[in-house]
Amino acid sequence: MTASADRFDAVYAAHRPAVLAYALRRLPAAEADEVVAETFVTAWRSIERMPADPLPWLFGIARNVVRHQRRAAGRRAALSDRLHREPAPPHATVGGDMPVMDALARLGASDRELVMLVCWEGLSLPEAAEVLGTTHVAARVRLHRARRRLAALLDERPAGARATTEEIA
Amino acid sequence: MTPPGDVLDRIAAANPVEVSAIPRSGAPDAAALRARVVPPAPRSRGRAVSVTLTGAALAGAAVMFTMALPRGTDGPTGSPPPGPAVSPTTLGPTPSAKISPPPDAPAFDMEILRPGGGENALSGRRFTNASLLGRRTVIAFWASWCGPCRTDLPDLRRIAATAGPGTAVVIVASMDPPPDALAALDATGLPVALDRRGTALEAFGATGLPTTILTDTRGRVIWKVYGPGLEGIEATLQTTPRD
């Protein structure tokens, strides 16, 4: 086996769970496995460009694959006008903190992705900036604004609505 | 007022998927994923090879394109022309190819994992070019780890059930461990051959899975589909003689 294949196999073993978790947070479980496979197939095609720390790079590929899947799923299901107008909310909200999920879903798509990369994927701000193809400084400003926006969204929820949601959860 | 600094902690705590809870087995292994990418052949073999490479590149793009499209849309395999013409995703779709006799299938020799039964049954121990003679054969290069392949399975079963006498549907487990393939195909009852390293798949000029081939009663390739969707195969079967 070649050195490239050895390296690919090691990266796959080390990072498949993280890439699968990334996909599961954004798509139904039935589609997440295919996102993982497509992400690593793409990574193998570009193995010579894989950086020393490959996880942000893999998330960048996975992000494109997820967007591709969503577009395809949107065509298949002929999504309603309502869904076209609203950004896709994060997946797997069952049992989660519903007010937080609702607030996340009301962020812009790029800001939501940034928050999810930092809070759920555990990336540092420079790594998240790399995934999003932006600068560290721009990502820091966007995260700061996103935090303020999230805080405002969580505060504006009626107390009764939150209590009801928590009872359901 | 919620302090902005606390917001990210609350979001982190709402994480719906824990990496540590994800099982580390049960996924296709890395070698299977690497095998999905068939390296291109050398380009120094003259014009004929050049045409093949061009076709392969188009086919590769078509696979990606087709996999992203819903079935029944205007994708390369979604609305094929009627009759046994060469499909847009067929290798070598040059004008001369459309008026030439169909090309013989490339030489192949595969182990039979399961012969199947009834009209579809394979005889002997090997699935070879000789197995194609005397009946129309749908050869489906397939793998259990390939999602689009699984979407084709109900159509393959339907074709096997409805195409009638003189037609065989053979699944070729390509780059798939035999136990995985047989377990996934157990309920189909279709014959299964093994292309362990994908050499037969490559010989047919394919660059990925699924790839489905239709041969006539003389063992000549009359249709190829790269990616999911078998409408072209079904349309061609209706116009291809059974003997």
Side-chain angles (χ1 to χ4, degrees):
Chain A
M1 194 155 63
T2 66
S4 293
D6 283 339
R7 184 173 180 228
F8 175 83
D9 291 3
V11 166
Y12 180 73
H15 295 306
R16 184 192 76 86
V19 175
L20 178 56
Y22 176 96
L24 285 169
R25 291 175 186 125
R26 290 159 178 82
L27 289 172
E31 297 174 41
D33 284 336
E34 194 53 33
V35 168
V36 174
E38 193 60 37
T39 297
F40 279 98
V41 166
T42 303
W44 172 239
R45 282 198 188 97
S46 308
I47 187 71
E48 72 283 356
R49 297 204 299 272
M50 183 185 285
D53 176 11
L55 192 56
W57 184 72
L58 290 169
F59 283 150
I61 297 172
R63 182 174 179 239
N64 286 331
V65 176
V66 166
R67 288 195 294 196
H68 194 71
Q69 292 274 88
R70 279 184 176 153
R71 281 198 293 270
R75 284 193 293 266
R76 278 196 297 271
L79 285 176
S80 67
D81 288 344
R82 174 178 168 275
L83 285 176
H84 280 302
R85 283 198 301 271
E86 294 183 0
H91 185 67
T93 58
V94 176
D97 185 335
M98 294 300 287
V100 162
M101 296 298 186
D102 289 346
L104 260 182
R106 291 171 67 182
L107 289 183
S110 296
D111 287 351
R112 182 172 62 246
E113 181 72 7
L114 176 60
V115 170
M116 290 165 73
L117 285 169
V118 171
C119 293
W120 290 351
E121 265 59 65
L123 297 190
S124 67
L125 206 48
E127 288 171 334
E130 182 185 337
V131 174
L132 298 174
T134 187
T135 66
H136 177 192
V137 173
R140 188 171 61 198
V141 171
R142 277 169 50 185
L143 186 62
H144 177 72
R145 289 177 180 165
R147 286 163 66 174
R148 295 181 68 86
R149 170 92 170 124
L150 284 168
L153 287 169
L154 288 169
D155 275 345
E156 76 183 28
R157 293 181 60 83
R162 178 179 294 189
T164 303
T165 307
E166 286 173 350
E167 281 169 16
I168 293 170
Chain B
M1 171 81 183
T2 303
D6 295 344
V7 170
L8 296 189
D9 291 340
R10 188 169 169 189
I11 290 172
N15 181 358
V17 179
E18 285 295 336
V19 174
S20 59
I22 293 177
R24 292 181 179 267
S25 59
D29 64 18
L33 292 179
R34 281 192 278 108
R36 286 200 194 185
V37 182
V38 179
R43 287 178 174 273
S44 57
R45 290 163 58 189
R47 187 175 176 279
V49 172
S50 173
V51 169
T52 302
L53 284 171
T54 303
L58 288 170
V63 167
M64 299 298 292
F65 187 49
T66 306
M67 287 169 65
L69 284 174
R71 299 182 60 179
T73 65
D74 293 329
T77 60
S79 54
V86 179
S87 82
T89 58
T90 303
L91 286 188
T94 58
S96 61
K98 291 184 178 177
I99 58 174
S100 301
D104 288 341
F108 64 87
D109 183 357
M110 299 181 233
E111 177 187 347
I112 294 174
L113 292 178
R114 186 177 68 193
E119 292 286 344
N120 271 302
L122 287 175
S123 58
R125 292 187 175 180
R126 310 290 298 181
F127 179 46
T128 69
N129 296 72
S131 312
L132 306 178
L133 301 178
R135 60 183 178 177
R136 307 174 304 177
T137 307
V138 177
I139 308 170
F141 288 92
W142 193 94
S144 61
W145 46 260
C146 161
C149 298
R150 292 195 296 269
T151 67
D152 270 352
L153 211 46
D155 290 340
L156 288 166
R157 295 178 71 174
R158 190 184 68 251
I159 291 171
T162 60
T167 310
V169 176
V170 180
I171 307 281
V172 175
S174 192
M175 299 169 288
D176 199 14
D180 292 358
L182 288 173
L185 296 167
D186 188 42
T188 68
L190 296 173
V192 183
L194 177 64
D195 182 25
R196 190 182 301 273
R197 298 182 183 279
T199 50
L201 174 70
E202 203 171 346
F204 276 97
T207 58
L209 295 173
T211 291
T212 310
I213 311 288
L214 174 62
T215 59
D216 67 9
T217 55
R218 295 169 62 184
R220 302 176 303 180
V221 176
I222 52 176
W223 198 275
K224 290 183 182 180
V225 179
Y226 299 100
L230 301 177
E231 295 87 348
I233 294 277
E234 293 187 89
T236 308
L237 276 170
Q238 292 175 6
T239 58
T240 303
R242 297 174 190 273
D243 48 27

